Protein backbone atom coordinates (compact mmCIF):
# COMPACT_ATOMS: atom_id res chain seq x y z
CA UNK A 1 0.00 0.00 0.00
CA UNK A 2 1.36 3.36 -1.02
CA UNK A 3 0.79 6.46 1.07
CA UNK A 4 1.32 8.88 -1.77
CA UNK A 5 -1.06 11.77 -1.00
CA UNK A 6 -2.74 11.92 -4.43
CA UNK A 7 -3.19 8.16 -4.49
CA UNK A 8 -4.79 8.25 -1.05
CA UNK A 9 -6.90 11.28 -1.93
CA UNK A 10 -8.39 9.77 -5.08
CA UNK A 11 -9.32 6.58 -3.28
CA UNK A 12 -10.86 8.60 -0.47
CA UNK A 13 -13.01 10.54 -2.92
CA UNK A 14 -14.13 7.31 -4.58
CA UNK A 15 -15.25 6.03 -1.19
CA UNK A 16 -17.10 9.29 -0.51
CA UNK A 17 -18.87 8.91 -3.85
CA UNK A 18 -20.06 5.44 -2.87
CA UNK A 19 -21.14 6.70 0.53
CA UNK A 20 -23.16 9.54 -1.04
CA UNK A 21 -25.02 7.21 -3.37
CA UNK A 22 -25.77 4.68 -0.67
CA UNK A 23 -27.59 7.46 1.20
CA UNK A 24 -29.30 9.07 -1.80
CA UNK A 25 -32.49 8.42 -3.74
CA UNK A 26 -31.30 7.73 -7.31
CA UNK A 27 -33.91 8.93 -9.81
CA UNK A 28 -31.91 9.60 -12.99
CA UNK A 29 -33.86 7.87 -15.79
CA UNK A 30 -30.74 6.84 -17.76
CA UNK A 31 -28.81 5.11 -14.98
CA UNK A 32 -28.99 1.81 -13.20
CA UNK A 33 -27.12 -0.50 -10.86
CA UNK A 34 -25.17 -3.57 -11.90
CA UNK A 35 -25.00 -6.64 -9.70
CA UNK A 36 -21.78 -7.74 -7.95
CA UNK A 37 -21.26 -10.44 -10.63
CA UNK A 38 -21.33 -7.80 -13.37
CA UNK A 39 -18.96 -5.57 -11.38
CA UNK A 40 -16.61 -8.52 -10.96
CA UNK A 41 -16.43 -8.96 -14.75
CA UNK A 42 -15.57 -5.26 -15.10
CA UNK A 43 -12.42 -5.63 -13.01
CA UNK A 44 -11.31 -8.90 -14.65
CA UNK A 45 -8.24 -9.18 -16.88
CA UNK A 46 -10.48 -8.66 -19.91
CA UNK A 47 -10.23 -4.96 -19.09
CA UNK A 48 -6.63 -5.14 -20.36
CA UNK A 49 -7.24 -6.96 -23.67
CA UNK A 50 -8.01 -6.36 -27.30
CA UNK A 51 -9.94 -8.67 -29.58
CA UNK A 52 -11.07 -6.77 -32.74
CA UNK A 53 -13.02 -8.52 -35.43
CA UNK A 54 -15.68 -11.20 -35.08
CA UNK A 55 -15.64 -14.32 -32.90
CA UNK A 56 -13.25 -16.89 -34.36
CA UNK A 57 -11.69 -14.36 -36.76
CA UNK A 58 -9.95 -12.04 -34.31
CA UNK A 59 -7.22 -9.64 -35.26
CA UNK A 60 -5.54 -10.28 -31.87
CA UNK A 61 -4.37 -13.61 -30.41
CA UNK A 62 -5.10 -14.67 -26.83
CA UNK A 63 -8.87 -14.72 -27.16
CA UNK A 64 -9.79 -18.39 -26.88
CA UNK A 65 -11.73 -17.81 -23.67
CA UNK A 66 -13.09 -14.44 -24.62
CA UNK A 67 -14.50 -15.88 -27.86
CA UNK A 68 -16.53 -18.28 -25.78
CA UNK A 69 -17.79 -15.43 -23.58
CA UNK A 70 -18.85 -13.23 -26.50
CA UNK A 71 -20.58 -16.21 -28.13
CA UNK A 72 -22.64 -16.79 -24.96
CA UNK A 73 -23.34 -13.07 -24.64
CA UNK A 74 -24.75 -12.88 -28.18
CA UNK A 75 -26.78 -16.03 -27.75
CA UNK A 76 -28.39 -14.72 -24.56
CA UNK A 77 -29.17 -11.35 -26.16
CA UNK A 78 -30.64 -12.96 -29.28
CA UNK A 79 -32.87 -15.06 -27.01
CA UNK A 80 -33.92 -12.09 -24.89
CA UNK A 81 -34.81 -9.87 -27.84
CA UNK A 82 -35.95 -12.75 -30.04
CA UNK A 83 -33.69 -11.53 -32.84
CA UNK A 84 -31.59 -13.31 -35.48
CA UNK A 85 -28.55 -11.05 -35.10
CA UNK A 86 -26.89 -8.96 -32.38
CA UNK A 87 -23.61 -7.04 -32.48
CA UNK A 88 -22.34 -6.23 -28.97
CA UNK A 89 -19.22 -4.33 -30.00
CA UNK A 90 -20.44 -0.71 -29.90
CA UNK A 91 -19.11 0.70 -26.65
CA UNK A 92 -22.19 2.83 -25.91
CA UNK A 93 -25.63 3.74 -27.19
CA UNK A 94 -24.27 6.65 -29.22
CA UNK A 95 -21.75 4.32 -30.89
CA UNK A 96 -24.56 1.85 -31.60
CA UNK A 97 -26.46 4.63 -33.38
CA UNK A 98 -23.30 5.63 -35.24
CA UNK A 99 -22.94 2.02 -36.37
CA UNK A 100 -26.43 2.15 -37.89
CA UNK A 101 -25.82 5.56 -39.47
CA UNK A 102 -22.56 4.23 -40.95
CA UNK A 103 -24.15 1.02 -42.25
CA UNK A 104 -27.29 2.48 -43.79
CA UNK A 105 -26.60 6.09 -44.78
CA UNK A 106 -23.99 8.28 -46.45
CA UNK A 107 -23.08 11.93 -45.92
CA UNK A 108 -25.83 14.43 -46.78
CA UNK A 109 -28.60 11.82 -46.67
CA UNK A 110 -31.75 12.88 -44.89
CA UNK A 111 -32.65 11.41 -41.52
CA UNK A 112 -35.82 11.99 -39.54
CA UNK A 113 -36.05 11.71 -35.75
CA UNK A 114 -37.85 13.56 -32.98
CA UNK A 115 -36.20 16.81 -31.90
CA UNK A 116 -34.27 17.27 -28.67
CA UNK A 117 -36.73 19.74 -27.07
CA UNK A 118 -39.53 17.17 -27.30
CA UNK A 119 -37.39 14.37 -25.85
CA UNK A 120 -35.02 13.33 -28.65
CA UNK A 121 -31.41 12.44 -27.90
CA UNK A 122 -28.31 14.41 -28.94
CA UNK A 123 -27.16 11.44 -31.02
CA UNK A 124 -29.93 12.20 -33.53
CA UNK A 125 -29.30 15.96 -33.51
CA UNK A 126 -28.32 18.13 -36.50
CA UNK A 127 -25.08 19.82 -37.50
CA UNK A 128 -24.57 23.42 -36.38
CA UNK A 129 -22.00 25.95 -37.49
CA UNK A 130 -20.38 27.71 -34.57
CA UNK A 131 -17.48 30.14 -34.16
CA UNK A 132 -15.43 28.97 -37.12
CA UNK A 133 -16.19 25.26 -36.69
CA UNK A 134 -18.94 22.71 -36.65
CA UNK A 135 -20.68 21.13 -33.69
CA UNK A 136 -24.09 19.70 -32.99
CA UNK A 137 -25.67 16.31 -32.50
CA UNK A 138 -23.94 13.10 -33.56
CA UNK A 139 -26.07 12.46 -36.66
CA UNK A 140 -25.22 15.87 -38.09
CA UNK A 141 -21.79 16.60 -36.67
CA UNK A 142 -20.29 13.12 -37.13
CA UNK A 143 -22.31 11.29 -39.80
CA UNK A 144 -23.09 14.50 -41.72
CA UNK A 145 -26.75 13.62 -42.04
CA UNK A 146 -29.36 16.28 -42.74
CA UNK A 147 -31.67 15.95 -39.79
CA UNK A 148 -35.35 16.72 -40.13
CA UNK A 149 -37.93 16.30 -37.39
CA UNK A 150 -40.76 13.85 -37.00
CA UNK A 151 -43.91 15.82 -36.09
CA UNK A 152 -44.66 15.49 -32.40
CA UNK A 153 -47.74 16.06 -30.27
CA UNK A 154 -46.15 18.15 -27.51
CA UNK A 155 -48.93 17.79 -24.99
CA UNK A 156 -49.68 14.13 -25.69
CA UNK A 157 -45.95 13.33 -25.38
CA UNK A 158 -45.86 11.16 -28.48
CA UNK A 159 -45.34 11.27 -32.24
CA UNK A 160 -48.22 12.81 -34.20
CA UNK A 161 -48.95 9.78 -36.39
CA UNK A 162 -50.95 11.39 -39.22
CA UNK A 163 -48.56 14.33 -39.56
CA UNK A 164 -45.56 11.96 -39.36
CA UNK A 165 -46.91 9.74 -42.17
CA UNK A 166 -47.38 12.82 -44.31
CA UNK A 167 -43.95 14.26 -43.48
CA UNK A 168 -42.11 11.00 -44.19
CA UNK A 169 -43.83 10.67 -47.59
CA UNK A 170 -43.05 14.29 -48.40
CA UNK A 171 -39.46 14.50 -47.19
CA UNK A 172 -38.36 11.01 -48.24
CA UNK A 173 -35.59 10.47 -45.69
CA UNK A 174 -33.03 7.68 -46.05
CA UNK A 175 -33.34 6.85 -42.34
CA UNK A 176 -36.25 7.14 -39.94
CA UNK A 177 -35.23 6.80 -36.32
CA UNK A 178 -37.76 6.37 -33.53
CA UNK A 179 -37.05 6.29 -29.80
CA UNK A 180 -36.34 9.03 -27.26
CA UNK A 181 -34.68 10.12 -24.05
CA UNK A 182 -37.97 11.24 -22.55
CA UNK A 183 -39.87 8.14 -23.51
CA UNK A 184 -43.20 7.84 -21.72
CA UNK A 185 -45.36 6.04 -24.29
CA UNK A 186 -44.63 3.45 -27.01
CA UNK A 187 -43.83 4.99 -30.40
CA UNK A 188 -45.98 4.20 -33.46
CA UNK A 189 -43.61 1.70 -35.09
CA UNK A 190 -46.45 -0.32 -36.60
CA UNK A 191 -47.92 2.78 -38.24
CA UNK A 192 -44.66 4.31 -39.50
CA UNK A 193 -42.55 1.30 -40.57
CA UNK A 194 -44.66 0.57 -43.69
CA UNK A 195 -44.47 4.24 -44.67
CA UNK A 196 -40.68 4.28 -44.28
CA UNK A 197 -40.41 1.10 -46.34
CA UNK A 198 -42.71 2.49 -49.02
CA UNK A 199 -40.08 5.19 -49.74
CA UNK A 200 -37.18 2.72 -49.27
CA UNK A 201 -36.02 4.23 -46.01
CA UNK A 202 -34.34 2.24 -43.24
CA UNK A 203 -36.04 2.31 -39.86
CA UNK A 204 -34.03 2.21 -36.65
CA UNK A 205 -35.61 2.14 -33.21
CA UNK A 206 -33.39 3.66 -30.53
CA UNK A 207 -34.27 1.65 -27.42
CA UNK A 208 -31.55 3.17 -25.19
CA UNK A 209 -34.01 3.98 -22.42
CA UNK A 210 -36.53 1.20 -22.75
CA UNK A 211 -34.30 -1.79 -23.69
CA UNK A 212 -34.98 -3.64 -20.44
CA UNK A 213 -38.72 -3.09 -20.68
CA UNK A 214 -38.68 -4.37 -24.27
CA UNK A 215 -36.58 -7.44 -23.39
CA UNK A 216 -39.11 -8.23 -20.67
CA UNK A 217 -42.00 -7.69 -23.14
CA UNK A 218 -43.49 -4.90 -21.04
CA UNK A 219 -43.40 -1.91 -23.41
CA UNK A 220 -43.62 -2.58 -27.15
CA UNK A 221 -42.05 -5.06 -29.58
CA UNK A 222 -40.34 -2.93 -32.25
CA UNK A 223 -38.85 -5.87 -34.19
CA UNK A 224 -42.25 -7.51 -34.67
CA UNK A 225 -43.86 -4.11 -35.30
CA UNK A 226 -41.62 -3.53 -38.31
CA UNK A 227 -38.36 -1.75 -37.46
CA UNK A 228 -35.31 -2.94 -39.43
CA UNK A 229 -32.79 -2.42 -36.65
CA UNK A 230 -32.83 -1.56 -32.98
CA UNK A 231 -30.02 0.16 -31.09
CA UNK A 232 -29.64 0.60 -27.35
CA UNK A 233 -27.56 1.39 -24.34
CA UNK A 234 -27.30 -1.62 -22.06
CA UNK A 235 -27.30 0.33 -18.79
CA UNK A 236 -30.55 2.28 -18.52
CA UNK A 237 -33.62 0.09 -17.94
CA UNK A 238 -31.50 -2.87 -19.02
CA UNK A 239 -29.33 -3.28 -15.91
CA UNK A 240 -26.02 -4.10 -17.57
CA UNK A 241 -22.59 -2.47 -17.82
CA UNK A 242 -22.18 0.77 -19.80
CA UNK A 243 -22.23 -0.45 -23.39
CA UNK A 244 -24.27 -0.44 -26.59
CA UNK A 245 -25.66 -3.03 -28.98
CA UNK A 246 -27.19 -3.17 -32.45
CA UNK A 247 -29.91 -5.69 -33.20
CA UNK A 248 -31.09 -6.64 -36.70
CA UNK A 249 -34.57 -7.86 -37.54
CA UNK A 250 -33.22 -10.16 -40.27
CA UNK A 251 -30.02 -11.95 -41.20
CA UNK A 252 -29.39 -10.03 -44.45
CA UNK A 253 -28.50 -6.94 -42.42
CA UNK A 254 -25.82 -8.73 -40.37
CA UNK A 255 -22.78 -8.34 -42.64
CA UNK A 256 -23.12 -4.61 -43.18
CA UNK A 257 -23.68 -3.99 -39.45
CA UNK A 258 -20.62 -6.08 -38.60
CA UNK A 259 -18.45 -4.07 -41.01
CA UNK A 260 -19.82 -0.80 -39.67
CA UNK A 261 -19.09 -1.86 -36.07
CA UNK A 262 -15.56 -2.96 -36.93
CA UNK A 263 -13.49 -1.47 -38.46
CA UNK A 264 -16.02 1.36 -38.73
CA UNK A 265 -16.91 2.41 -35.20
CA UNK A 266 -14.70 0.44 -32.82
CA UNK A 267 -11.25 -0.91 -32.34
CA UNK A 268 -11.27 -2.03 -28.72
CA UNK A 269 -14.77 -3.10 -27.77
CA UNK A 270 -14.38 -3.12 -23.96
CA UNK A 271 -14.20 -6.87 -23.50
CA UNK A 272 -14.84 -6.77 -19.76
CA UNK A 273 -18.23 -5.23 -20.46
CA UNK A 274 -19.07 -7.92 -23.01
CA UNK A 275 -18.56 -10.40 -20.16
CA UNK A 276 -20.59 -8.20 -17.79
CA UNK A 277 -23.33 -7.91 -20.39
CA UNK A 278 -23.47 -11.71 -20.69
CA UNK A 279 -23.91 -11.98 -16.93
CA UNK A 280 -26.52 -9.21 -16.87
CA UNK A 281 -28.40 -10.98 -19.70
CA UNK A 282 -28.34 -14.29 -17.81
CA UNK A 283 -29.68 -12.53 -14.72
CA UNK A 284 -32.28 -10.72 -16.80
CA UNK A 285 -33.54 -13.99 -18.26
CA UNK A 286 -34.39 -15.08 -14.74
CA UNK A 287 -35.45 -11.82 -13.09
CA UNK A 288 -36.21 -9.41 -15.95
CA UNK A 289 -39.95 -9.77 -16.05
CA UNK A 290 -40.84 -9.11 -12.38
CA UNK A 291 -38.24 -6.31 -12.32
CA UNK A 292 -39.62 -4.56 -15.42
CA UNK A 293 -43.23 -4.93 -14.28
CA UNK A 294 -42.37 -3.33 -10.95
CA UNK A 295 -40.42 -0.51 -12.65
CA UNK A 296 -43.55 0.51 -14.56
CA UNK A 297 -45.88 0.04 -11.58
CA UNK A 298 -43.52 2.21 -9.53
CA UNK A 299 -43.36 4.93 -12.20
CA UNK A 300 -47.14 5.18 -12.33
CA UNK A 301 -47.36 5.12 -8.52
CA UNK A 302 -44.71 7.82 -8.12
CA UNK A 303 -46.46 9.92 -10.77
CA UNK A 304 -49.76 9.62 -8.90
CA UNK A 305 -48.20 10.29 -5.48
CA UNK A 306 -46.38 13.41 -6.71
CA UNK A 307 -49.49 14.61 -8.55
CA UNK A 308 -51.53 14.36 -5.34
CA UNK A 309 -48.92 16.45 -3.53
CA UNK A 310 -48.84 19.50 -5.77
CA UNK A 311 -46.47 18.41 -8.55
CA UNK A 312 -47.70 18.90 -12.12
CA UNK A 313 -46.74 15.48 -13.46
CA UNK A 314 -47.42 15.50 -17.21
CA UNK A 315 -50.10 13.36 -18.87
CA UNK A 316 -52.27 12.54 -15.84
CA UNK A 317 -55.08 11.63 -18.27
CA UNK A 318 -52.84 8.89 -19.72
CA UNK A 319 -51.78 7.48 -16.35
CA UNK A 320 -48.55 9.57 -16.44
CA UNK A 321 -46.44 6.93 -18.23
CA UNK A 322 -46.16 3.42 -19.61
CA UNK A 323 -42.40 3.26 -19.05
CA UNK A 324 -39.88 3.88 -16.26
CA UNK A 325 -40.00 7.65 -16.76
CA UNK A 326 -42.22 10.45 -15.57
CA UNK A 327 -41.85 14.10 -16.52
CA UNK A 328 -42.76 16.82 -14.03
CA UNK A 329 -43.60 20.39 -15.03
CA UNK A 330 -42.12 22.41 -12.15
CA UNK A 331 -42.94 25.86 -13.56
CA UNK A 332 -45.47 26.38 -10.73
CA UNK A 333 -42.49 26.66 -8.35
CA UNK A 334 -40.85 29.40 -10.42
CA UNK A 335 -41.61 32.11 -7.84
CA UNK A 336 -40.70 30.06 -4.79
CA UNK A 337 -37.83 27.74 -5.74
CA UNK A 338 -37.11 28.62 -9.36
CA UNK A 339 -36.97 26.51 -12.53
CA UNK A 340 -35.36 23.17 -13.45
CA UNK A 341 -31.79 23.99 -12.45
CA UNK A 342 -32.84 25.35 -9.04
CA UNK A 343 -35.17 22.45 -8.34
CA UNK A 344 -32.47 19.96 -9.37
CA UNK A 345 -29.94 21.63 -7.06
CA UNK A 346 -32.28 21.82 -4.13
CA UNK A 347 -33.21 18.15 -4.51
CA UNK A 348 -29.52 17.24 -4.80
CA UNK A 349 -28.81 18.95 -1.48
CA UNK A 350 -31.49 16.73 0.03
CA UNK A 351 -29.73 13.73 -1.60
CA UNK A 352 -32.55 13.19 -4.08
CA UNK A 353 -30.92 12.89 -7.50
CA UNK A 354 -33.10 13.73 -10.53
CA UNK A 355 -32.17 15.80 -13.53
CA UNK A 356 -33.67 18.98 -15.00
CA UNK A 357 -35.21 18.46 -18.41
CA UNK A 358 -36.80 20.45 -21.18
CA UNK A 359 -40.56 20.15 -21.38
CA UNK A 360 -41.78 19.73 -24.98
CA UNK A 361 -43.32 23.24 -24.82
CA UNK A 362 -40.40 24.96 -23.03
CA UNK A 363 -38.90 26.53 -26.16
CA UNK A 364 -42.31 28.00 -27.07
CA UNK A 365 -42.34 29.61 -23.62
CA UNK A 366 -38.79 30.88 -24.09
CA UNK A 367 -37.25 28.59 -21.52
CA UNK A 368 -33.75 27.29 -22.13
CA UNK A 369 -32.24 23.82 -21.63
CA UNK A 370 -29.91 25.18 -18.95
CA UNK A 371 -32.84 26.16 -16.79
CA UNK A 372 -35.84 24.35 -18.23
CA UNK A 373 -39.35 23.91 -16.87
CA UNK A 374 -39.18 20.24 -16.05
CA UNK A 375 -37.47 17.45 -14.20
CA UNK A 376 -37.26 13.87 -15.43
CA UNK A 377 -37.56 10.96 -13.05
CA UNK A 378 -36.87 7.25 -13.60
CA UNK A 379 -37.82 4.38 -11.29
CA UNK A 380 -35.49 1.61 -12.56
CA UNK A 381 -32.69 2.06 -10.02
CA UNK A 382 -34.93 2.42 -6.96
CA UNK A 383 -36.83 -0.65 -8.14
CA UNK A 384 -33.59 -2.63 -8.12
CA UNK A 385 -33.11 -1.53 -4.54
CA UNK A 386 -36.34 -3.36 -3.73
CA UNK A 387 -38.69 -0.38 -3.52
CA UNK A 388 -42.39 -0.80 -4.24
CA UNK A 389 -45.55 1.37 -4.35
CA UNK A 390 -45.38 2.24 -0.64
CA UNK A 391 -41.86 3.62 -1.04
CA UNK A 392 -43.03 5.75 -4.00
CA UNK A 393 -45.37 7.53 -1.59
CA UNK A 394 -42.50 8.07 0.83
CA UNK A 395 -40.30 9.51 -1.95
CA UNK A 396 -43.11 11.83 -3.06
CA UNK A 397 -43.42 13.06 0.54
CA UNK A 398 -39.70 13.75 0.77
CA UNK A 399 -39.79 15.64 -2.54
CA UNK A 400 -42.81 17.61 -1.34
CA UNK A 401 -40.92 18.55 1.84
CA UNK A 402 -38.03 20.02 -0.17
CA UNK A 403 -39.95 21.69 -3.01
CA UNK A 404 -43.57 22.35 -2.00
CA UNK A 405 -43.07 22.93 1.74
CA UNK A 406 -39.63 24.49 1.22
CA UNK A 407 -38.07 22.67 4.17
CA UNK A 408 -34.33 23.01 4.60
CA UNK A 409 -32.78 20.49 2.12
CA UNK A 410 -30.01 19.39 4.49
CA UNK A 411 -32.65 18.48 7.08
CA UNK A 412 -34.58 16.47 4.53
CA UNK A 413 -31.30 14.75 3.58
CA UNK A 414 -31.24 13.20 7.03
CA UNK A 415 -34.73 11.79 6.51
CA UNK A 416 -33.65 10.55 3.08
CA UNK A 417 -30.64 8.71 4.53
CA UNK A 418 -32.81 7.18 7.22
CA UNK A 419 -35.35 5.99 4.64
CA UNK A 420 -32.56 4.62 2.43
CA UNK A 421 -30.96 2.61 5.23
CA UNK A 422 -33.43 -0.24 4.67
CA UNK A 423 -32.64 -0.48 0.96
CA UNK A 424 -28.99 -1.42 0.62
CA UNK A 425 -29.01 -4.59 -1.44
CA UNK A 426 -29.67 -5.26 -5.11
CA UNK A 427 -32.78 -7.22 -6.01
CA UNK A 428 -33.49 -9.09 -9.24
CA UNK A 429 -29.97 -10.57 -9.54
CA UNK A 430 -28.11 -13.65 -8.38
CA UNK A 431 -27.55 -13.58 -4.64
CA UNK A 432 -24.53 -11.88 -3.13
CA UNK A 433 -23.62 -10.43 0.23
CA UNK A 434 -22.08 -7.33 -1.36
CA UNK A 435 -24.15 -4.19 -0.77
CA UNK A 436 -25.55 -2.25 -3.73
CA UNK A 437 -23.14 0.68 -3.46
CA UNK A 438 -20.31 -1.04 -1.63
CA UNK A 439 -16.84 0.13 -2.57
CA UNK A 440 -14.71 -2.84 -3.60
CA UNK A 441 -11.23 -2.45 -2.18
CA UNK A 442 -8.62 -4.59 -3.92
CA UNK A 443 -5.33 -2.69 -3.81
C1 LIG B 1 -28.82 7.61 -23.57
C2 LIG B 1 -29.24 7.61 -24.99
C3 LIG B 1 -28.34 7.29 -26.00
C4 LIG B 1 -26.86 7.23 -25.79
O1 LIG B 1 -26.40 6.28 -25.04
P1 LIG B 1 -24.93 6.24 -24.40
O2 LIG B 1 -24.90 4.83 -23.97
O3 LIG B 1 -24.93 7.25 -23.34
O4 LIG B 1 -23.95 6.53 -25.49
C5 LIG B 1 -28.82 7.18 -27.30
N1 LIG B 1 -30.10 7.38 -27.57
C6 LIG B 1 -31.00 7.70 -26.63
C7 LIG B 1 -32.42 7.91 -27.01
C8 LIG B 1 -30.60 7.85 -25.30
O5 LIG B 1 -31.47 8.22 -24.37
Amino acid sequence: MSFDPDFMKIRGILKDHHEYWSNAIPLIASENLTTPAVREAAISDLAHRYAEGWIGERVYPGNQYFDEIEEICLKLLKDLFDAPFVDARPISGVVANLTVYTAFTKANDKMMAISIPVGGHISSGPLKAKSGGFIGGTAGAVSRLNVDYIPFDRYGLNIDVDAAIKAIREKKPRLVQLGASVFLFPHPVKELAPVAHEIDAHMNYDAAHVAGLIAAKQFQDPLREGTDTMTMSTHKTFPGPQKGIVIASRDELAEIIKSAAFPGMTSNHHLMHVAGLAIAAAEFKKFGKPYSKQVIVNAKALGQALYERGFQVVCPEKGFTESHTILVDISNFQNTIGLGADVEQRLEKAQIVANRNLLPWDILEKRHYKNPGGIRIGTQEITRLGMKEQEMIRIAELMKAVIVDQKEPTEVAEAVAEFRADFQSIHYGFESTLKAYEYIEIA
Side-chain angles (χ1 to χ4, degrees):
M1 172 69 76
S2 158
F3 291 97
D4 173 81
D6 285 331
F7 178 89
M8 295 303 290
K9 187 167 177 200
I10 293 160
R11 298 181 85 222
I13 298 170
L14 276 169
K15 285 177 191 169
D16 291 345
H17 174 90
H18 282 246
E19 179 70 20
Y20 177 86
W21 281 91
S22 68
N23 287 305
I25 299 174
L27 298 174
I28 304 278
S30 56
E31 297 178 350
N32 213 326
L33 273 173
T34 52
T35 59
V38 174
R39 292 175 71 192
E40 191 175 301
I43 55 171
S44 70
D45 176 72
L46 289 176
H48 310 135
R49 304 298 154 204
Y50 268 87
E52 285 193 350
W54 197 250
I55 302 158
E57 345 167 332
R58 302 295 190 191
V59 179
Y60 282 80
N63 284 305
Q64 68 191 99
Y65 297 109
F66 178 65
D67 271 9
E68 227 176 300
I69 290 171
E70 189 161 357
E71 185 94 56
I72 295 169
C73 179
L74 296 185
K75 186 193 170 305
L76 287 166
L77 291 171
K78 284 190 279 190
D79 281 356
L80 273 179
F81 289 98
D82 195 7
F85 174 78
V86 175
D87 196 321
R89 292 175 297 176
I91 58 167
S92 75
V94 167
V95 177
N97 282 348
L98 272 169
T99 303
V100 163
Y101 303 160
T102 303
F104 301 105
T105 68
K106 58 183 187 338
N108 303 315
D109 277 353
K110 185 171 286 175
M111 163 180 175
M112 288 180 81
I114 67 165
S115 72
I116 294 165
V118 303
H121 187 254
I122 44 164
S123 57
S124 54
L127 179 72
K128 289 194 179 121
K130 193 180 180 185
S131 54
F134 296 94
I135 58 159
T138 314
V142 181
S143 297
R144 295 297 195 241
L145 296 172
N146 290 317
V147 178
D148 219 316
Y149 299 119
I150 299 174
F152 198 83
D153 168 9
R154 288 170 204 278
Y155 301 97
L157 266 291
N158 208 338
I159 290 167
D160 178 337
V161 178
D162 292 338
I165 291 173
K166 203 160 152 252
I168 293 169
R169 283 194 178 130
E170 223 168 74
K171 293 178 173 165
K172 298 196 173 16
R174 174 76 199 101
L175 171 66
V176 176
Q177 180 158 289
L178 304 184
S181 297
V182 178
F183 206 169
L184 309 188
F185 304 105
H187 277 178
V189 181
K190 224 185 285 171
E191 291 80 355
L192 300 185
V195 183
H197 294 148
E198 181 188 297
I199 55 146
D200 266 340
H202 179 94
M203 179 177 276
N204 182 52
Y205 180 101
D206 181 345
H209 265 268
V210 291
L213 309 181
I214 287 174
K217 306 197 174 6
Q218 300 300 312
F219 189 62
Q220 68 182 132
D221 188 355
L223 292 175
R224 255 56 58 188
E225 290 162 21
T227 192
D228 298 297
T229 53
M230 185 155 76
T231 48
M232 62 189 64
S233 309
T234 54
H235 49 264
K236 295 184 182 178
T237 53
F238 193 87
Q242 292 186 328
K243 217 180 185 324
I245 62 177
V246 179
I247 297 178
S249 62
R250 50 192 192 276
D251 277 320
E252 307 92 85
L253 305 176
E255 282 315 309
I256 190 72
I257 292 170
K258 278 160 77 170
S259 302
F262 173 82
M265 294 316 308
T266 59
S267 165
N268 191 303
H269 67 286
H270 297 185
L271 315 189
M272 67 292 195
H273 293 327
V274 173
L277 184 54
I279 290 166
E283 289 179 328
F284 202 89
K285 225 170 133 175
K286 193 160 160 66
F287 306 104
K289 196 155 259 175
Y291 152 74
S292 299
K293 281 190 170 161
Q294 192 63 47
V295 166
I296 298 168
V297 166
N298 282 349
K300 287 173 176 285
L302 185 55
Q304 182 66 34
L306 286 168
Y307 188 73
E308 287 167 5
R309 287 166 180 77
F311 288 90
Q312 302 180 65
V313 186
V314 308
C315 293
E317 71 288 353
K318 294 168 85 173
F320 307 108
T321 185
E322 287 178 33
S323 74
H324 61 305
T325 303
I326 54 174
L327 186 63
V328 187
D329 176 346
I330 46 80
S331 60
N332 53 325
F333 303 116
Q334 180 159 16
N335 297 325
T336 51
I337 309 286
L339 285 174
D342 312 292
V343 169
E344 177 190 285
Q345 256 180 33
R346 198 173 165 89
L347 287 170
E348 189 184 22
K349 279 193 196 131
Q351 302 192 174
I352 300 170
V353 191
N355 63 279
R356 72 192 111 147
N357 215 101
L358 279 169
L359 300 168
W361 52 91
D362 264 355
I363 304 293
L364 301 178
E365 302 197 5
K366 310 239 178 314
R367 286 194 287 259
H368 191 256
Y369 76 91
K370 284 192 179 152
N371 202 9
I375 52 168
R376 186 185 66 167
I377 291 173
T379 52
Q380 67 293 340
E381 189 166 342
I382 49 176
T383 301
R384 283 174 72 72
L385 290 171
M387 295 187 191
K388 300 223 155 84
E389 292 95 308
Q390 237 160 298
E391 283 75 38
M392 298 307 110
I393 292 172
R394 192 78 188 96
I395 291 172
E397 278 168 356
L398 291 162
M399 289 178 67
K400 173 176 179 282
V402 192
I403 304 299
V404 182
D405 306 336
Q406 298 181 62
K407 293 237 171 77
E408 183 52 40
T410 47
E411 270 170 40
V412 180
E414 284 171 31
V416 166
E418 202 176 302
F419 162 67
R420 269 292 267 110
D422 294 338
F423 300 92
Q424 291 296 332
S425 60
I426 303 188
H427 294 237
Y428 310 105
F430 299 134
E431 252 171 63
S432 163
T433 52
L434 199 79
K435 296 228 163 66
Y437 301 85
E438 195 165 328
Y439 181 76
I440 304 176
E441 194 157 330
I442 305 174

